[in-house]
Amino acid sequence: MISYARQPQEEQPEAPPPPVDEHIAPSPRVSVQAFCETVETAAAVQSAGEDRRLGKAHLKIQMGGMAAAIEAYRSAPTPNVIVLESDGRNDLLGGLDQLATVCDAGTRVVVIGRINDVMLYRELVRRGVSDYVLAPVGAIDVVRSICNLFSAPEAKAVGRIMAVVGAKGGVGASTISHNVAWAIARDLAMDAVVADLDLAFGTAGLDYNQDPPQGIADAVFSPDRVDTAFIDRLLSKCTDHLSLLAAPATLDRVYDFGSDAFDAVFDTLRSTMPCIVLDVPHQWSGWTKRALIGADDILIVAAPDLANLRNTKNLFDLLKASRPNDRPPLYCLNQVGVPKRPEIAATEFAKAIESQPIASIPFEPQIFGSAANNGQMIAEISANHKSIEMFLQIAQRLTGRSETKKQKSSLFSPLIEKLRGK
C-alpha cells in the first residue's frame, strides 16, 4: 500500500517564485527514483538532484512514466520515494492502482501532472499519494516536494545553518559572527549556537569569556559518538538562548580533515537548535567549501580594499554557481574608515559584486578592542552603539525575521537601559 505523507492543497494556483527567505530543510539519506515523460521534467529533476538539500539522497531518473515504473517494480523493491510524471487523468488513477500492487509499504509517491482539478487531488489523496506538483516544474519545486515529505508539520523544525566567513584574514569575520549570534539570541529571542570551526586559532571562547574543557574537536575526532546527548555535553552556555561549541585553540595536534568531517556535527545541531552560526576560518579546503555550500545562508565579511574585493567576487561566483536554487550570499563591509588608508567605496564594491552590502560597519578600534579584551559583546560594552543595530539587521536577514521581539515598555525601561549600558 502506498503510504500517505502529506495531503495536497485543495486549490493549486499558479505558483509564484520562491521567496528569498524560504527555508527548505535538507532531506535525509533516502533513495529516490523518478519516471518522467518529458525531457523538460527530467532536466528539472536532474537539476534538483544537484541541489545541496538533496545531497544525501540517491537519485535515479528514467523515462517512460507510469508504465515504466510499474514494469520496473514487478521484480525489484521500491525506493523510499517514487516521482511519477503523468499527463492523463484516467491513465494516472488506473496506473496508481496497478503500482499499489507492486509497491512496498512505506514508499512515498510524488506525482507531477498537468491537470488542475480538486476532484483529482482528492482521488490522489485517497490512493495515498504524498504530494501532487503541477507541471511545468522547476528544480526548486522538486526539491521542495521531496524534502517536505520528511518535514512533517508537527515535527520539530530543522535548524537553519548560517555560515560567516572572511574574504581575507583579519577582516573581523569572527567578531561579526559572534555579535550577530548574540543579536539572534538576545533581540530575536531564538535559541542559537555558535560553532567555532577554527580549531587551532578560534576566538569564540575568548569573545564570550568561556573556557569549556570540551568542545567541537571532541565531536570531530569521535564521529561515531556524535548524537544529541553527546553534543549537549559539549555545549557551553553563554546566555539563556545562546550556546557555544568552542574550539580548543591549541596546537598540540594537527587539524587535517576530510571534506565530510563536520557532517555529523552539523546534522546533529540541525536537529536540536533553530539557529546554527558557523564561524568559518579563512582557508580553502574541502571541508570549508562543503560547509559554505551546505549552509542555508552565507555572510561574507570584507574590508574595503582590492584583495577583499577580488576574494569576495570569487566567493560570490563560486557559491552562486554551486547553489543555483538558493538566494545569493550576503556580504558586509567591516573596518570602514581606517585613518589614512585608501579604500574602495561601497558603491564601487557593489558595482563589482553586482550586489549591495547589507551593512558597512565603521572602524572603531577602541570599542571593538575593549570588547575583545574583556570577553564581551559590543552590546555589553555600549548598549546604544550604532553597530548594534547593524548586527541586528544582519541577524534579521540571515534568519528571515523582519521584526524584533520587543519587550513591553514600563516606567523603569529607561533606567534598565542605562544599567544595561554600564
Side-chain angles (χ1 to χ4, degrees):
M1 183 67 180
I2 302 173
S3 67
Y4 167 71
R6 182 164 63 89
Q7 183 170 344
Q9 299 294 323
E10 287 290 319
E11 297 181 4
Q12 292 278 341
E14 185 175 347
V20 294
D21 286 328
E22 180 182 22
H23 176 48
I24 302 174
S27 79
R29 298 185 187 276
V30 293
S31 56
V32 182
Q33 292 186 11
F35 295 85
C36 304
E37 291 188 346
T38 64
V39 293
E40 292 80 10
T41 298
V45 176
Q46 179 67 43
S47 179
E50 298 168 359
D51 187 275
R52 62 177 180 84
R53 285 157 290 209
L54 292 180
K56 294 182 180 180
H58 180 72
L59 177 64
K60 182 179 179 181
I61 303 172
Q62 297 177 227
M63 303 303 290
M66 181 71 71
I70 295 171
E71 184 61 32
Y73 299 129
R74 291 189 191 279
S75 57
T78 51
N80 300 113
V81 180
I82 300 174
V83 179
L84 293 169
E85 182 183 15
S86 177
D87 289 332
R89 177 192 181 98
N90 294 329
D91 291 343
L92 171 59
L93 297 178
L96 285 173
D97 291 338
Q98 293 184 57
L99 182 63
T101 64
V102 297
C103 196
D104 298 334
T107 294
R108 308 185 185 198
V109 174
V110 174
V111 174
I112 299 173
R114 300 181 182 276
I115 303 174
N116 189 356
D117 180 71
V118 172
M119 295 304 296
L120 175 61
Y121 301 146
R122 289 175 176 166
E123 284 297 322
L124 294 177
V125 169
R126 192 174 67 82
R127 284 169 167 80
V129 168
S130 300
D131 196 11
Y132 182 82
V133 186
L134 200 60
V137 297
I140 192 64
D141 300 314
V142 179
V143 171
R144 184 189 300 111
S145 179
I146 295 174
C147 290
N148 285 349
L149 296 179
F150 304 95
S151 298
E154 67 275 7
K156 188 175 181 179
V158 175
R160 188 169 187 153
I161 290 183
M162 294 153 275
V164 182
V165 65
K168 190 170 177 283
V171 297
S174 291
T175 298
I176 301 301
S177 67
H178 303 162
N179 279 276
V180 168
W182 183 271
I184 292 173
R186 190 191 73 160
D187 300 318
L188 302 183
M190 300 176 67
D191 289 335
V193 60
V194 174
D196 191 345
L197 305 187
D198 190 350
L199 272 65
F201 303 106
T203 60
L206 296 175
D207 287 352
Y208 290 120
N209 196 25
Q210 300 285 327
D211 187 22
Q214 294 179 299
I216 193 167
D218 298 272
V220 175
F221 288 110
S222 304
D224 295 338
R225 297 177 58 195
V226 173
D227 57 20
T228 301
F230 184 63
I231 292 294
D232 284 344
R233 290 197 299 271
L234 302 180
L235 292 176
S236 177
K237 197 78 170 176
C238 300
T239 69
D240 288 343
H241 289 290
L242 182 63
S243 299
L244 170 65
L245 196 54
T250 60
L251 303 179
D252 55 350
R253 64 197 306 174
V254 176
Y255 303 108
D256 291 333
F257 302 123
S259 60
D260 59 350
F262 289 87
D263 285 6
V265 177
F266 297 163
D267 290 345
T268 305
L269 287 175
R270 274 192 188 274
S271 67
T272 58
M273 282 286 181
C275 294
I276 302 101
V277 179
L278 305 183
D279 182 2
V280 183
H282 178 72
Q283 65 181 68
W284 198 240
S285 61
W287 68 264
T288 53
K289 180 180 178 181
R290 186 180 179 93
L292 291 173
I293 292 176
D296 295 294
D297 288 286
I298 303 163
L299 175 68
I300 302 169
V301 180
D305 62 31
L306 185 60
N308 277 272
L309 175 57
R310 179 202 64 187
N311 295 352
T312 302
K313 176 66 173 173
N314 287 342
L315 281 169
F316 249 74
D317 291 345
L318 181 138
L319 292 171
K320 287 173 67 176
S322 302
R323 299 155 49 89
N325 303 313
D326 290 272
R327 67 174 177 178
L330 305 173
Y331 78 98
C332 72
L333 296 178
N334 192 32
Q335 302 172 354
V336 176
V338 174
K340 299 182 180 181
R341 181 182 72 175
E343 294 182 349
I344 297 176
T347 53
E348 295 300 316
F349 223 95
K351 186 182 299 183
I353 304 298
E354 299 180 345
S355 176
Q356 293 291 333
I358 62 172
S360 292
I361 303 170
F363 177 69
E364 296 191 56
Q366 182 66 40
I367 188 166
F368 279 84
S370 297
N373 288 336
N374 293 339
Q376 293 178 295
M377 297 294 100
I378 300 300
E380 295 179 288
I381 294 287
S382 176
N384 298 315
H385 194 266
K386 55 187 175 183
S387 65
I388 298 173
E389 184 63 29
M390 297 182 187
F391 295 142
L392 177 57
Q393 291 172 1
I394 296 172
Q396 290 171 327
R397 290 289 298 275
L398 289 174
T399 60
R401 296 286 187 93
S402 59
E403 297 181 358
T404 61
K405 184 176 181 180
K406 298 181 179 179
Q407 295 180 343
K408 293 182 179 179
S409 179
S410 70
L411 292 174
F412 301 102
S413 294
L415 177 60
I416 293 173
E417 286 300 318
K418 287 183 180 180
L419 293 174
R420 182 180 288 175
K422 291 183 179 180

